[in-house]
Amino acid sequence: MVGERAPLRRILLKLSGEVFLGPSEYGIDAETADRFASELVEAHRLGTQIAVVIGGGNIFRGVQGASQGMDRSTADYIGMLATVINALALQSAIEKHDIQSRVQSAIGIQALCEPYIRRRAVRHLEKGRIVIFAAGTGNPFFTTDTAAALRANEIGADAIMKATKVDGVYSSDPVTNPDATRYDHLDYRTVLNNDLKVMDATAISLCRENQMPILVFDMTVPGNIISATRGEPIGTWITKGDGNGS
Ligand code: UDP
C-alpha cells in the first residue's frame, strides 16, 4: 500500500479551524488563510475536484462552552456557527484567485450561503467550483471529522485528506515520546483498537463501514496538498486491511 498512488479525481479535505490561527492564538490570520487558499487553488488547477469541511476550533468548541456551564447543545450550535465564519473566510481567500467557490451549510443561513444539497454540491464540483461544507453535520454532539466522513461518502470522494500539524499517524505522541514510530499505512481496525488519535471514532467507523480511504498528512509543509492529491507518498494512509483487519 505504501508508495505512489494514482492521482485523485475528487477529494474531501478536512481542515481544522486551527490551521487558520497562524501566529495568533484566536481567530483567523488572513495571511495564513491566503496561503491555504493558494495551495487549494493550485491543486484544483491541476485537475482535482476539491470539497472542504472546515472546523471551528480556532473560534469556539462546544466542549469548552459546556465545561464552563453552558448547555452542551447550545454550545455545539455556537461551534457550528464558528465553522460558518471560517468557511466564509476560506471562500473569500479562494475567490481572490478567480476560482469560484460555494459554501453549503448544514444549518440554514440563507443570507450568507447555500443550504447543503448533495446533488447541487456534486454539480458545483463538476463545474469546477471548490465547495466548502459548513456547520458540520448540523447536529450537536458531533464533530467536523464526522461531517467530513459523512460528506466524503455522500459526494463519492476518492479519499478524505485530513490535514494536521504532524506528518502522519504515530504509535504514540512524537512530541512527548522520542521512540514513537510513524506508520505509512494502517487499517481502520488498528486505529480504533489502539485508540490512535487520528479522527474521532464515529468518523473512523463511518469510513470503515464504507471503505473510504483517509490520508493523514502535514499541512504546514508548503506543497503538501498538491503532493497528496497527486498520490505522492506522504503521510499515513488508513484503508481496509490486506489481511483480516478492516
Ligand atoms: N460541531 C457540532 N456538530 C458537528 C460539527 C461541529 O456540534 O457536526 C460543533 C462542536 O461544538 C465542535 C465545534 O462545532 O466543537 C467546532 O468543530 P470541531 O471541534 O470539529 O472543529 P476543529 O477541531 O476541526 O477545528
Side-chain angles (χ1 to χ4, degrees), residues 66-122:
S67 71
Q68 289 162 16
M70 197 182 277
D71 164 65
R72 172 68 195 263
S73 297
T74 305
D76 278 341
Y77 280 112
I78 297 172
M80 285 184 257
L81 291 179
T83 73
V84 178
I85 294 172
N86 283 334
L88 294 174
L90 182 62
Q91 180 184 40
S92 163
I94 288 170
E95 292 196 334
K96 282 186 195 162
H97 298 267
D98 292 329
I99 294 290
Q100 287 195 358
S101 164
R102 294 286 186 273
V103 175
Q104 290 203 342
S105 171
I107 296 174
I109 314 181
Q110 287 83 333
L112 298 180
C113 55
E114 296 179 4
Y116 172 65
I117 299 172
R118 185 182 73 86
R119 283 173 180 275
R120 201 159 170 186
V122 169

Side-chain angles (χ1 to χ4, degrees), residues 11-162:
I11 60 147
L12 186 300
L13 178 68
K14 165 67 211 301
L15 291 180
S16 291
E18 280 181 358
V19 302
F20 280 173
L21 284 176
S24 326
E25 280 180 16
Y26 177 83
I28 301 165
D29 177 64
E31 214 173 285
T32 308
D34 280 347
R35 184 176 83 70
F36 283 122
S38 306
E39 280 211 38
L40 278 185
V41 165
E42 211 177 321
H44 173 268
R45 287 206 168 109
L46 289 168
T48 304
Q49 294 178 12
I50 299 177
V52 182
V53 166
I54 181 101
N58 54 324
I59 300 170
F60 195 88
R61 279 208 175 89
V63 279
Q64 278 163 9
S67 71
Q68 289 162 16
M70 197 182 277
D71 164 65
R72 172 68 195 263
S73 297
T74 305
D76 278 341
Y77 280 112
I78 297 172
M80 285 184 257
L81 291 179
T83 73
V84 178
I85 294 172
N86 283 334
L88 294 174
L90 182 62
Q91 180 184 40
S92 163
I94 288 170
E95 292 196 334
K96 282 186 195 162
H97 298 267
D98 292 329
I99 294 290
Q100 287 195 358
S101 164
R102 294 286 186 273
V103 175
Q104 290 203 342
S105 171
I107 296 174
I109 314 181
Q110 287 83 333
L112 298 180
C113 55
E114 296 179 4
Y116 172 65
I117 299 172
R118 185 182 73 86
R119 283 173 180 275
R120 201 159 170 186
V122 169
R123 187 83 186 109
H124 287 321
L125 291 170
E126 288 167 353
K127 284 190 165 179
R129 297 171 183 144
I130 295 177
V131 178
I132 305 165
F133 295 123
T137 64
N139 301 293
F141 300 98
F142 285 89
T143 64
T144 49
D145 279 353
T146 299
L150 180 64
R151 297 293 184 242
N153 281 297
E154 287 189 87
I155 64 168
D158 294 329
I160 297 179
M161 303 210 158
K162 160 90 176 169

